[in-house]
Amino acid sequence: MLTTFYIFFGAFREIQNSQTFPITIIGQRCEVEREVQEKFSHIRLKMEDNQPIDTTIPPSPHPQYPYHCKKILNPARNTHDFVRQSTVHRLIVPISSVTAPFFPRILKMTTQNPLTWKATLADKIPPHWAEEIDTFENQMKLRTQGKLDEKVFAELRLRRGAYGQRYDNGFRYDGEKSQTISFPHPDLTKGPETKWEAPGMQRIKIPYGGMTAQQMEVLADMADEYSDGILHVTTRQDFQLHFISIEDTPDMHRRLAAVGITTREACGNSVRNVTACPLAGVCRDEAFDVTGYANETAYYFFGHPDVQDFGRKFKVAFSGCKTNPCGLTFMHDLGLIATTRIVDGVEQKGFEMYVGGGLGAVPHLAKLLDEFVPVEELLPMSQAIARVYARLGEKKNRNKARIKFLVGKLGIDEFRRLVKEEREVLKNDPKWDDWLANLSRYEEAGKPAPVSAGENIDLGEDAAAFAQWKSTNIYPQRQDGFNCVSIALPLGDLTAPQMRGVADIARRFTNDTTRITVEQNIILRWINEADLPALYLALKAINLHAGGANSIVDITACPGTDTCKLGISSSRGLASELSNQLAAKGLQYDEALKNLRIKVSGCFNSCGQQMVAEIGFYGSSRLVDRHRVPHFHLILGGEWDNNAAQYGQSLGVFPSKRIPDVVNFLVDMYLREHDKGEKFSQFVNRIGKKAIKDQLQSFAKVPAYSVDKSFYTDWGDAREYTIGDIGIGECAGEVVSLTDFGVATAESMYFDATLLLEGNSTNGNVKQAADKALGAMLSAAQALLKLQNIDISSNPDVIVSEFRKYFYDTELFFDPFAKGKFASYLFNAYENRDDAANLDRSRQLIEEARLFIEAAHECNTRMVQSGIVSPGSFKKWLMDREMQLAGK
């Protein structure tokens, strides 16, 4: 009998190659000798039987970096522990032969004549992909030798999809203070303030979301062998694996490439994954199937020279129709909606082409560039757009580098002129349309007959649950007798065994027609109506049979504070809590609610797509009773339908622990007061945001720390959400109150500005809204200046000048990641205050005001925590800073 086993090592200590430690392994439990326990936190053997094995820990084949970081679940404590994974982690040997004397001989044979993935898969990987991976592996070696700059290497690894992860700077807050995470080689980095041996995240591109059963199995292997066993589906039809060692990435990339998956340009300033409607080809409302067009666009731009010099990322989306939300084209840098027209009696296929959309901190709706681009012109026009963006887009200021800012700066008419001018001078490329004749290869079909025919499928006690599941998770295709089945993934996650189970199910019930969605789910297409009961039971066997897909309980969430370095509040923790509470009430089956979307982001960026949800949240924090409290902004007014044609606005910030109460209140109010057939977004517009905000104010209160400490922790995290005791000066109470009051005034002005743009805004309202937004920023800036001068003038010229002097030039207002981005909003708005206002510009100013106010809150908190709480302490800080600069 053969056994495949894996050995994992814990603790962050180096192991010398000469060391071996005797261990006794029984089943999956390890009894380790005392001296070994002192060095390791975990030793785990994964076996296929329970026979005892006596063996020794194998030495590492890489002396410089003996073992890699890995995260595993510790079931006893329900926590995740960081452990180190041996690079010699797989041996296949006769079970009867594994004894202490024999094991070193097996190890010797393995290390002297090792099989490598590079050699094993050489004939299965496209040559240019293999060369790219080899190049990246060489770049890794150069970095470890100090021959490649860390900033350069950071961008190189990002373009291979190898991303940073929370705590990779070597520090973690334990609830009382920041603790150092020890690494064997702490001076070696893979980017600025990013430790080489710290776990990272790997993003994997799945163009248009389409994948085969074989690819699913390889992805499951990657999760098992290199990650924590979890595959995470993103809102861009990508997969993400967390807790990845940088050393493992070349082999991982080779194994993915061998089954047609690339990580090329999954991150970085590049064309990101090209997304498409997961119902393409089976949708009842589409103009035509966009699958092939999306995939060919993705592959055309992989490594294309015209997309290598962008200032920021570039996102592309395809939709087969205009009314449904599947493609979300209006929130993309380049959005394409399928359409047709009749020319000389012949139907011609083409696309409505939109540019300059994007969510991010300040969302923009895409503008119509061309109402009909023939399919033959899809790639050359896209290339022309890319070239204009690469040539004229911002490069120095990353905060203004997305194409939405270029379109806004030039105006859509001038941008259109430049694109068409660029198109005229492009040299013809056969690759623009040589694939059009082969689009039939993207055509799909179902099994010719139900695969469960003749089987006695008895649902028994599952009949009622099956009926509910069928009411939410089934989409009847336009092809009679076939259905799309949505597999709802909690928080977008599934385990490696579940992934293998889905692969088996896809093989059994379909002709390999599976897709992942932007709502973090999986869709099985071409399921025969008669096979639905058998399919349901197969999904139940792998615990993926939950109903409520794409409903109020199927909540989208970004990784947030779990793994993202930018996370402020726990988006996944909140999403899980909301989902559980709403599902317990059975709201996913309520006809009025089941299509209502809730989406959560952990910070002001929009990875969770909260700005286009009916109910959205993004993470924030506030200082209460001298302690930080996790909060979330509430976003209402977003439109998920019509390809996300309308963005929501913030109605205020609420403590994280009151968000479930806020949602329950909104849901109950809607169920009680909505008109027949009235959608939630329509209800919000009819009632009015101000009326809703007024009724929510009681949920904004935070009890004192001594009364209820639970408010001072985040969902799913036992640690206190503070960084420790805060020293305050003699006049702290009064001065802080004045600052908080000023920022609160700014928030009120911001909200007034949003109300001015409700409904059919007149030109007067547009100008008033822009002025209100600027006024809100001035109020927040003045509030901060009160900590420097309690008698600061209300003259806008003085506020802007003093703010620049004391908060921008000193970098006191700078965000740790965005730097001076938010301050620039105030300066630009004030400098251009006399410009003619239009609706788009006013909306942008309002969103920038929201972010400036949020940054003011954060700046105030940092100042208080640093003891800057009065004009006297501000002056002392300024003097200390000048002395430090003088000493450099």
Side-chain angles (χ1 to χ4, degrees), residues 279 282 473-475 477 482-486 523-526:
L279 299 177
V282 299
N473 292 44
I474 305 302
Y475 175 87
Q477 298 179 190
F482 291 97
N483 298 274
C484 288
V485 174
S486 292
I523 287 184
L524 299 171
R525 298 150 54 99
W526 294 93

Side-chain angles (χ1 to χ4, degrees), residues 488-493 519-521 546-557 570-589 593-594 596-600 615 617 656 659-661 663-664 667 715:
L489 303 178
L491 304 178
D493 291 347
E519 294 200 79
Q520 300 179 303
N521 291 328
N550 306 320
S551 76
I552 190 173
V553 305
D554 189 11
I555 299 175
T556 299
S570 177
S571 48
R572 284 168 60 87
L574 174 61
S576 180
E577 182 67 22
L578 288 175
S579 183
N580 290 338
Q581 289 194 23
L582 296 170
K585 298 179 180 181
L587 296 184
Q588 65 270 43
Y589 304 116
L593 292 172
K594 68 180 186 180
L596 189 155
R597 263 53 170 212
I598 299 177
K599 299 182 183 292
V600 189
I615 300 177
F617 297 98
S656 182
I659 297 301
D661 298 327
V663 171
N664 286 326
V667 168
W715 295 106

